[in-house]
Amino acid sequence: MTDHNAPVEWERARSEMYRLDATNIPYGLAVGNHDQTPNGTASAGSDTTQYTRYFGKAHFGNRPWYGGALGNNNNNDTHFDLFTANGDKYMVMYFAFNQPDYKGYNEAYEKQMLQWADSVLSAQSDRKAILVCHSMLGKPKGTTSGDKPGAGDNSLQSNFTRQGTGIYEMAKNHGNVFLMLGGHIAGEGYRKDTYNGNTIKTYLSDYQSRQSEPYGGAKDRNGGNGTMRLMRLNKTKQTLSVVTFIPQANGSVIKETDGDSQFTDALYQ
């Protein structure tokens, strides 16, 4: 949500995200390393972080889609949401950034998060589950998608980050988990894992380092130019379709059409 975890940035985040509340659009947030104090330190239940002040349990507690969070105070760093679409029940679970190879890593908190997630997934086993973490997947070798629109095709699988590895090792034991999402590393990536007959697809989409033409390095960087990704789940066709797009100030939309930016895959296989 922020770059420097500064009060003015949180005010901007509050102003923009609360617009979704005003129009009753459900949403959840994955806490990243730039949202923590100091950068990279998991808040581990702290009730005083900026994120908690604006997006804690007190803010989401009465929302009909909100499922709950790890801990007994107002902290909402690791939480889950519930929704139903086309007669199917789903859950989205969000993990706080807490990377083993990153400054401020808290091993005890990592174990606590994974144990909590394991119990929630078991309790909600009748719901298809989507897991979201700021750091889940790297990008494949050779791709330029971190800096500019690439020409990828999802043919090269990415590796999990160290936090992503831990989450997957927990998640693979739950047959209701089918999708995992992450950012943190600039670029687009994908991998597919099958364990005990259940397939989990993981996607990286992070546009923070995208440059504007002529792609001359940091001087052309524009924070992603507002690039976003829309994922459509089609129950009838049993497909997952991805569209990556850049909204323009004049109301038009530019779509990225390379193979790792716009594609359709099987939903649960």
Side-chain angles (χ1 to χ4, degrees):
M1 279 68 73
T2 69
D3 192 13
H4 305 95
N5 195 28
V8 65
E9 294 175 341
W10 281 108
E11 283 293 335
R12 291 168 182 159
R14 177 198 61 78
S15 177
E16 296 303 316
M17 299 306 296
Y18 281 18
R19 295 168 66 183
L20 298 178
D21 296 310
T23 50
N24 295 315
I25 296 177
Y27 67 97
L29 302 169
V31 179
N33 54 302
H34 287 255
D35 299 318
Q36 298 170 337
T37 304
N39 279 4
T41 301
S43 39
S46 169
D47 197 32
T48 59
T49 64
Q50 301 264 36
Y51 170 78
T52 302
R53 184 172 297 121
Y54 294 105
F55 300 103
K57 291 178 187 174
H59 178 72
F60 287 107
N62 294 325
R63 313 292 175 184
W65 70 84
Y66 183 68
L70 170 64
N72 298 317
N73 57 7
N74 190 37
N75 182 273
N76 195 44
D77 283 16
T78 300
H79 66 282
F80 69 100
D81 298 326
L82 305 171
F83 70 95
T84 301
N86 292 327
D88 291 335
K89 296 193 295 185
Y90 294 90
M91 174 178 67
V92 186
M93 180 178 288
Y94 306 85
F95 296 81
F97 177 84
N98 188 41
Q99 185 116 296
D101 56 357
Y102 213 83
K103 60 183 178 181
Y105 169 63
N106 187 320
E107 183 177 3
Y109 186 54
E110 189 77 0
K111 291 180 179 179
Q112 188 181 17
M113 276 198 296
L114 293 176
Q115 290 172 355
W116 174 86
D118 185 66
S119 65
V120 173
L121 286 168
S122 295
Q124 302 287 346
S125 61
D126 62 332
R127 292 179 177 271
K128 291 291 186 181
I130 302 168
L131 309 187
V132 183
C133 183
H134 181 72
S135 176
M136 190 76 82
L137 197 67
K139 64 180 179 180
K141 293 181 179 179
T143 180
T144 61
S145 60
D147 302 321
K148 55 188 176 183
D153 58 7
N154 285 334
S155 61
L156 296 177
Q157 287 211 145
S158 296
N159 293 322
F160 285 119
T161 63
R162 291 190 65 183
Q163 184 168 10
T165 297
I167 293 173
Y168 172 74
E169 288 300 317
M170 178 277 300
K172 72 179 185 182
N173 299 300
H174 296 273
N176 54 329
V177 178
F178 74 101
L179 184 64
M180 305 203 305
L181 308 172
H184 187 57
I185 298 173
E188 294 172 312
Y190 161 81
R191 72 175 288 125
K192 176 180 176 180
D193 297 276
T194 301
Y195 181 80
N196 282 346
N198 182 59
T199 297
I200 299 177
K201 295 187 182 71
T202 307
Y203 294 96
L204 164 71
S205 54
D206 187 310
Y207 308 104
Q208 63 179 311
S209 296
R210 283 289 182 87
Q211 302 166 15
S212 302
E213 293 185 275
Y215 309 120
K219 65 182 179 63
D220 292 333
R221 182 183 174 192
N222 196 27
N225 294 308
T227 307
M228 304 178 73
R229 174 170 282 196
L230 177 66
M231 309 184 84
R232 291 188 175 97
L233 281 61
N234 189 310
K235 179 179 178 179
T236 302
K237 297 180 180 180
Q238 290 289 287
T239 56
L240 171 66
S241 296
V242 171
V243 177
T244 305
F245 64 97
I246 310 170
Q248 302 297 293
N250 63 6
S252 64
V253 172
I254 298 173
K255 292 184 179 180
E256 287 191 21
T257 58
D258 59 292
D260 59 4
S261 301
Q262 182 172 314
F263 56 89
T264 298
D265 204 349
L267 183 54
Y268 300 124
Q269 299 178 357

